[in-house]
């Protein structure tokens, strides 16, 4: 098999510069050049370089000697010296493709990205199909995280050299960065094949388009689950071309084979798009078919984007209207894939309906679906609401100027971390979970921001008045995704584990120090990494002291089975709602361990159910109120053990007062000058 990798572009042998070469002055120079090339071919670079130096001492502008010595310096990774020689050569032949490429290569090695890009673009202006320049420029764009440009040049490189391993692999990685997984998987698979190695195993199961219907049926019957979000896994969707298969699971979806039908389906249908293509790259027909499928999928993304733009214009022009029965219309955008958002959306829906509003919940109807903006926008246009509620402004829907937009920021969204002004509208009603998020919104140009903590459903989360067991429960996931999401914070995590173990407090100065040592801002480290360490530590402490307690210890949630200290007490996940309320009602105590927040939904629900909150003491950094007399407090393992022998001065119900969804819904309607009933 011919060499397809090209990891590092190889320099050419002299003579390499065609046309316009400086004439050699003597036969002696020609002889020395021939000898230098021979020494280089014999892997004796020092002797070759010595001869080049002799030539340049006599003839400083001898082009072949400049080029050869530059190559020799490049091969020995003496990039500064290589740059000096190649730039002298380039002055003599500024339009030489060979010199432009080698200059770009040397500047790339020196990480002089802008200068390297300029030389490579100049070369491509002369030779648009120069494959090595296309690959190197694509590599440069990848290094500088310009993913769209990387895809452009690497795709052109692949077109010129279809079996070039590194073009495929890097193109696949860039496409994954752009959240185009099916195309990324396709090129990753080809790169692995042309490298002569087995296919790279995905880190998780993926929704897949199978070229062989039998493989689709087999995979669908295996009923594997795809982890779509941290909290949500769904059955794998298995596409194939052809008619429905007999007795196939509903996750095996047959599609018509023609381009028009496939494009229409993937553009307009809400079924989840495949993330991977299952094909045999050794089969030329399957390679071609896989290419057709990924190109159609990619075209559907383009058409969806165009459709979204058209629908956004239409939505901005669609005036709000009362329903046929004269009720105020409220549109809530949410998703089945986001548990917390969905829970809060359901809570607000019920409360607003109780207050007389007509409420439409826009979300996927089943787990095989994944809504795109076009699906939300079409339903928004059809409904004509006066109010749109979008938690975290997650879906960023375009709405008419007369429509009120209610945005409840419950998470530190990436756009808020940027601190740049956002296009707020006069009728935007902003809510924030805490003072930290409020400050972030103000830095993004927001005006009035109302503080609104998590709510609870008073019909579910309440004290049932039943006898309680001598028992302490914790409900919550392990959140180990932090370890993958915050790569490069290992030393910070090590210090935090020690700090929490000692009961030490986090400070702004220390957070700034942590931020300076990694690529994440201080407030993100505080909200995510510190909270993770506190949660993990507190749950482990509880399990480690369980044998010293005269009570039962139970942990619910996800991810704890991998923790040896917690696993013996772990009972699996609970569906949010009555199951969680039942757990709080039968226990005397409930552990609450946020590292920076005393207004969490967990604390409110625990209090509403009448269990005694056992709370990690973050009063020094948390927004008030602090509920000093309603909770038991700890910041170390020893304090946790000791506090469980006491009772708070006051019952916990004051914590949940005024925090129902009905309270919040009333606040929203009080700030919208429209009658609930026309």
């Amino acid at each position: 098999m011919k060499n397809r990798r090209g990891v590092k572009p190889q320099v050419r042998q002299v003579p390499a510069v065609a046309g316009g070469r400086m004439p050699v002055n003597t036969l002696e120079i020609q002889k020395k050049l021939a000898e230098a090339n021979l020494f280089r071919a014999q892997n004796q670079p020092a002797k070759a370089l010595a001869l080049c130096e002799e030539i340049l001492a006599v003839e400083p502008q001898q082009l072949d000697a400049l080029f050869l010595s530059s190559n020799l310096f490049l091969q020995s990774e003496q990039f500064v010296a290589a740059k000096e020689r190649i730039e002298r050569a380039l002055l003599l032949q500024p339009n030489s493709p060979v010199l432009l490429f080698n200059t770009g290569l040397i500047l790339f090695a020196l990480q002089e990205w802008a200068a390297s890009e300029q030389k490579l673009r100049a070369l491509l202006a002369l030779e648009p199909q120069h494959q090595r320049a296309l690959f190197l420029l694509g590599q440069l764009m990848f290094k500088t995280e310009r993913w769209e440009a990387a895809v452009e040049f690497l795709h052109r490189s692949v077109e010129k050299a279809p079996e070039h391993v590194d073009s495929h692999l890097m193109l696949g990685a860039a496409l994954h960065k752009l959240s185009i997984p099916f195309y990324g998987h396709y090129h990753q698979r080809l790169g692995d094949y042309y490298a002569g190695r087995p296919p790279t195993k995905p880190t998780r199961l993926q929704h897949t388009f199978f070229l062989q219907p039998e493989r689709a049926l087999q995979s669908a019957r295996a009923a594997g689950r795809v982890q779509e979000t941290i909290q949500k896994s769904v059955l794998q969707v298995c596409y194939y071309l052809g008619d429905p298969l007999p007795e196939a699971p509903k996750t095996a979806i047959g599609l018509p084979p023609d381009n028009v039908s496939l494009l229409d389906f993937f553009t307009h249908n809400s079924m989840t798009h495949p993330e991977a293509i299952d094909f045999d790259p050794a089969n030329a027909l399957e390679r071609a078919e896989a290419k057709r499928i990924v190109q159609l999928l990619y075209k559907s993304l383009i058409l969806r984007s165009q459709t979204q733009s058209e629908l956004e214009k239409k939505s901005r022009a669609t005036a709000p209207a009362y329903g046929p029965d004269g009720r105020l219309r409220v549109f809530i955008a949410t998703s089945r894939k986001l548990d917390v958002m969905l829970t809060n959306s359901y809570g607000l829906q019920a409360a607003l309906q109780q207050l007389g509003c007509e409420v439409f919940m826009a979300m996927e109807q089943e787990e095989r679906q994944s809504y795109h903006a076009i699906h939300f926008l079409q339903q928004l246009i059809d409904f004509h609401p006066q109010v749109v509620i979008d938690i975290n402004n997650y879906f960023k829907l375009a709405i008419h100027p007369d429509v009120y937009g209610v945005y409840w920021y419950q998470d530190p969204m990436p756009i808020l971390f940027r601190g740049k002004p956002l296009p707020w509208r006069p009728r935007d009603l902003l809510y924030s979970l805490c003072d930290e998020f409020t400050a972030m919104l103000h830095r993004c140009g927001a005006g009035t921001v109302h503080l609104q903590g998590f709510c609870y459903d008073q019909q579910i989360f309440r004290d049932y008045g039943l006898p309680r067991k001598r028992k302490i429960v914790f409900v919550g996931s392990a959140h180990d995704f932090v370890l993958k999401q915050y790569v490069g914070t290992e030393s910070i995590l090590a210090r935090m584990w020690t700090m929490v173990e000692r009961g030490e407090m986090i400070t702004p100065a220390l957070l700034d120090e942590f931020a300076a040592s990694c690529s994440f801002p201080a407030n993100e480290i505080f909200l995510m990494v510190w909270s993770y360490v506190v949660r993990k530590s507190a749950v482990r402490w509880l399990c480690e002291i369980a044998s010293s307690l005269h009570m039962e210890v139970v942990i619910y949630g996800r991810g704890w089975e991998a923790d040896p200290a917690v696993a013996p007490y772990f009972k699996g996940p609970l569906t949010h709602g009555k199951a969680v309320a039942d757990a709080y009602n039968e226990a005397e105590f409930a552990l609450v361990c946020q590292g920076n927040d005393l207004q969490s939904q967990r604390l409110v629900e625990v209090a509403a159910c009448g269990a005694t909150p056992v709370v990690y003491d973050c009063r020094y950094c948390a927004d008030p109120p602090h509920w000093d007399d309603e909770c038991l407090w700890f910041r170390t393992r020893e304090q946790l053990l000791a506090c469980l022998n006491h009772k708070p001065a006051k019952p916990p119900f004051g914590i949940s007062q005024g925090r129902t969804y009905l309270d919040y819904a009333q606040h929203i309607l009080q700030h919208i000058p429209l009658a609930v009933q026309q």
Side-chain angles (χ1 to χ4, degrees):
M1 184 181 289
K2 59 186 177 183
N3 179 15
R4 303 178 176 110
R5 289 198 60 83
V7 175
K8 179 178 179 181
Q10 299 297 310
V11 293
R12 297 183 183 178
Q13 297 287 332
V14 174
V17 184
R21 190 174 67 178
M22 292 285 292
V24 293
N25 295 325
T26 65
L27 291 175
E28 182 66 22
I29 288 179
Q30 296 179 46
K31 179 181 177 182
K32 287 184 178 181
L33 279 171
E35 291 176 356
N37 275 310
L38 182 60
F39 281 133
R40 182 187 178 195
Q42 295 172 345
N43 197 26
Q44 300 184 64
K47 291 183 179 180
L49 185 60
L51 286 171
C52 288
E53 297 301 313
E54 290 179 17
I55 295 170
L56 292 171
V58 175
E59 185 64 55
Q61 292 186 310
Q62 213 297 318
L63 185 58
D64 288 335
L66 287 170
F67 183 71
L68 176 56
S69 61
S70 173
N71 285 347
L72 292 167
F73 283 130
L74 175 60
Q75 287 181 321
S76 61
E77 298 187 356
Q78 299 179 64
F79 301 127
V80 174
K83 175 185 174 183
E84 186 270 336
R85 292 296 168 87
I86 199 69
E87 287 183 339
R88 284 168 58 185
L90 194 61
L91 287 173
L92 301 173
Q93 281 194 0
N95 291 323
S96 164
V98 173
L99 295 179
L100 284 168
F101 177 79
N102 272 36
T103 306
L105 178 61
I106 292 164
L107 292 168
F108 181 96
L110 289 167
Q111 297 185 16
E112 296 183 20
W113 307 125
S116 177
E117 180 182 347
Q118 188 270 328
K119 299 303 181 188
L120 293 170
R121 286 187 181 275
L123 167 54
L124 290 172
L126 297 170
E127 295 187 10
Q129 302 304 313
H130 195 294
Q131 187 270 328
R132 296 168 74 209
L134 289 167
F135 172 68
L136 187 58
L137 193 51
Q139 194 176 11
L140 186 153
M141 296 301 172
F142 191 94
K143 289 277 189 182
T144 53
E145 299 185 357
R146 288 179 279 175
W147 313 120
E148 292 90 346
V151 166
E152 175 196 347
F153 290 110
L154 291 168
H155 191 267
R156 289 169 61 188
S157 174
V158 164
E159 286 185 330
K160 186 67 179 174
E163 299 181 1
H164 190 247
V165 170
D166 287 318
S167 289
H168 279 295
L169 295 178
M170 195 170 292
L171 177 54
L175 287 161
H176 277 293
K177 292 288 187 181
L178 291 172
S179 298
I180 310 176
F182 58 85
Y183 228 145
H185 173 270
Y186 166 77
H187 284 288
Q188 173 74 53
R189 184 70 186 90
L190 288 176
D192 288 338
Y193 167 68
Y194 290 128
R197 66 190 185 207
T200 300
K201 292 184 178 180
T203 56
R204 62 172 179 81
L205 188 65
Q206 297 172 304
H207 300 299
T208 302
F209 198 119
F210 294 85
L211 295 193
Q212 298 295 333
E214 297 79 11
R215 288 178 58 81
L217 180 60
Q218 180 184 18
S219 193
R221 284 177 173 168
R225 301 192 72 82
V226 175
Q227 197 70 39
E228 291 191 327
T229 67
I230 296 164
Q231 300 161 325
K232 181 71 70 176
S233 68
V234 301
L235 289 171
Q236 181 193 28
V237 177
C238 304
Y239 290 102
Y240 64 93
L241 296 177
D243 296 328
L245 297 170
E247 300 182 3
K250 68 175 184 178
T251 52
I253 301 175
L255 298 175
D258 64 284
N259 288 354
V260 173
S261 298
L262 280 173
L263 187 58
D264 180 73
F265 179 88
F266 285 119
T267 301
H268 299 107
N269 199 286
S270 60
M271 290 295 180
T272 299
H273 275 193
E275 304 165 282
I277 310 297
D278 181 81
F279 70 104
D280 179 5
N283 184 315
L285 292 177
E286 289 206 7
R287 283 202 308 272
E289 183 70 338
K291 184 176 182 179
R292 180 178 79 96
I293 298 300
V294 295
Q295 288 178 338
L296 285 169
L297 282 165
Y298 185 69
K299 189 173 182 180
S300 76
L301 297 184
I302 296 172
L303 291 176
R304 277 187 167 189
S305 180
Q306 294 171 352
T307 303
Q308 179 179 342
S309 297
E310 295 167 3
L311 290 174
E312 285 175 341
K313 292 178 183 177
K314 189 174 181 180
S315 180
R316 290 191 179 98
T318 302
Y322 280 92
D325 57 358
R327 288 188 294 162
L328 185 75
R329 285 182 160 180
V330 180
F331 181 96
I332 301 178
T334 188
S335 174
R336 288 183 177 273
K337 303 176 188 298
L338 302 167
D339 285 353
V340 176
M341 175 191 286
L342 185 59
T343 297
N344 285 281
S345 298
Y346 275 133
L348 280 172
Q349 178 192 34
L352 288 163
Q353 287 174 335
Q354 185 178 340
L355 294 171
C357 299
E358 180 184 357
V359 183
F360 183 88
M361 287 268 285
M363 64 178 184
E364 301 89 355
Q365 300 304 301
E366 54 158 298
E367 67 175 21
R368 294 183 302 170
Q369 296 177 320
S370 295
Y371 268 17
H372 184 270
I374 64 173
H375 303 116
F376 287 107
L377 286 165
Q378 188 58 64
Q379 292 176 336
L380 178 65
I381 292 165
D382 294 341
F383 189 56
H384 296 270
Q386 288 104 331
V387 181
V388 169
I389 297 177
D390 183 355
I391 293 174
N392 284 327
N393 198 7
Y394 190 86
F395 302 105
K396 301 176 180 60
L397 301 176
I399 55 180
H400 189 277
D402 292 341
V403 174
Y404 286 88
V406 179
Y407 306 113
W408 184 12
Y409 286 89
Q410 301 179 350
D411 297 293
M413 303 302 288
I415 196 169
L416 299 184
F417 279 115
R418 298 170 196 162
K420 296 180 179 179
L422 297 174
W424 307 110
R425 308 175 319 125
R427 293 199 173 190
D428 286 343
L429 190 57
L430 305 182
Y431 291 89
S432 165
L433 196 66
C434 61
D435 290 341
E436 177 72 19
F437 296 172
T438 298
M440 295 171 74
L441 286 163
H442 285 317
R443 286 193 290 270
C444 293
T448 301
V449 180
H450 303 276
L451 196 63
Q452 177 60 55
F454 280 116
C455 302
Y456 74 98
D457 186 337
Q458 74 274 19
Q459 295 180 343
I460 296 175
F461 291 93
R462 55 187 175 81
D463 187 351
Y464 299 164
L466 301 175
R468 295 181 183 271
K469 297 178 183 179
R470 184 74 177 162
K471 178 178 180 180
I472 181 168
V473 300
F474 172 78
V475 181
S477 296
H479 284 187
D480 287 329
F481 71 88
V482 169
L483 299 177
K484 297 179 180 179
Q485 186 169 329
Y486 292 90
V487 176
T489 60
E490 291 79 8
S491 62
I492 296 171
L493 280 162
R495 287 185 64 182
M496 285 183 173
W497 291 119
T498 301
M499 289 177 62
V500 173
E501 190 67 30
R502 294 173 178 172
E504 297 174 7
M505 295 181 285
I506 198 80
T507 65
L510 191 55
L511 286 168
D512 288 339
E513 178 187 331
F514 289 155
S517 68
C518 69
S519 59
F520 302 102
N523 55 351
E524 194 168 349
I525 294 171
F526 179 52
L527 294 169
M528 304 301 292
V529 184
W530 174 255
S531 294
Y532 168 73
V533 174
V534 167
R535 171 182 292 220
K536 290 282 282 191
S537 297
V539 174
R540 284 174 180 167
W541 292 345
L542 178 61
C543 296
E544 288 165 354
I545 67 172
S547 60
S548 302
L549 301 173
H550 300 292
M551 68 177 72
E552 184 182 359
V553 172
V554 180
I555 309 299
Y556 298 105
R558 294 182 176 89
W560 296 107
E561 67 276 6
D563 192 313
V566 181
Y569 306 93
F570 179 51
K571 302 300 182 184
L574 288 178
T575 301
H576 187 268
K578 191 174 186 305
V580 176
D582 288 344
Y584 290 151
N585 265 276
E586 71 175 19
E588 188 175 348
F589 301 95
L591 180 69
V592 180
C593 45
Q594 302 285 111
N596 47 41
D597 181 23
L598 294 174
Q599 316 303 323
S600 69
Q601 187 167 7
R602 180 170 293 105
L603 178 57
V604 171
E605 290 173 349
V606 166
C609 291
T612 296
V614 182
V615 183
Y616 178 82
D617 192 353
C618 59
R619 286 174 287 184
Y620 69 94
C621 64
D623 298 340
H626 288 159
W627 321 115
D628 298 315
D629 298 325
E630 288 86 357
C631 304
L632 297 177
W633 302 96
F634 72 96
R635 204 181 297 139
T636 66
R637 186 195 321 261
E638 294 72 24
Q639 290 172 357
L640 175 58
L641 178 61
C643 78
L644 290 171
N645 293 316
H646 300 279
K647 279 287 188 180
K650 296 180 180 179
F653 301 110
I655 297 172
S656 57
Q657 187 174 357
R659 296 286 294 275
T660 68
Y661 286 109
L662 190 61
D663 294 322
Y664 182 26
Q666 288 172 334
H667 189 278
I668 291 172
L669 295 180
Q670 287 168 2
H671 287 79
I672 293 174
L674 296 173
V676 172
Q677 186 71 40
Q678 192 177 35

